[in-house]
Amino acid sequence: MIQAQRSADIKATPEAVWGELSRFMDLADIAPLVASVDALSEASTGLGAKRRCHFDNGTSLVEEAITWEDGRMMEVRMSEMDAMPLHEGVAKIMVEPSGINHCRVIWGLNYRVKYGPLGWILGRTLMKMMMGKVIDGNLKGLADKVAAG
């Protein structure tokens, strides 16, 4: 698996940041490339919550919360990524206190690319840079949303 990871210090309490992250079906509110989200489970948050994310470019994927430590961390498994060059992917998002009314959000993505050795090379270079930019955009969107209240 290849890993892309970014972090951001956000001027807000961990509770406020988790409050936004835990709105699992509202990812489009913080992720700039997500156009809309369809709920695929009765649970709208927490372990087992499942959503389909539709992207601006017309593609989509399914995400399911496979680990959920309320207020602290979630892991989300991606599937149904036929239009994407990925075999599998798991995102891990952690929130850690880092001072009075500040926290650090660490957003990581472990993924495996299609197309054998060529895919592995692309995954370690071009795709890793692209994934980093996507994560950076999500972190900025999260910080902006929390700041807006």
Side-chain angles (χ1 to χ4, degrees), residues 4 12 18 25 27-28 43 79 108 112 125 135 139 146:
W18 186 260
M25 299 304 170
L27 182 65
S79 63
R112 193 165 55 92
T125 55
I135 295 169
L139 287 168
V146 170

Side-chain angles (χ1 to χ4, degrees), residues 20-91:
E20 288 302 325
L21 287 171
S22 68
R23 294 174 50 234
F24 193 72
M25 299 304 170
D26 297 325
L27 182 65
D29 291 350
I30 64 169
L33 298 180
V34 176
S36 65
V37 173
D38 298 331
L40 301 178
S41 63
E42 287 187 30
S44 63
T45 190
L47 190 63
K50 195 172 187 177
R51 65 189 175 198
R52 177 175 295 280
C53 300
H54 298 276
F55 298 98
D56 290 335
N57 67 3
T59 63
S60 70
L61 60 77
V62 170
E63 294 183 322
E64 181 177 3
I66 58 170
T67 305
W68 193 279
E69 295 177 21
D70 207 29
R72 186 175 118 39
M73 186 270 293
M74 73 173 82
E75 285 183 303
V76 179
R77 179 184 304 127
M78 297 180 282
S79 63
E80 297 184 34
M81 304 177 286
D82 297 337
M84 298 177 181
L86 300 177
H87 274 299
E88 62 182 302
V90 176

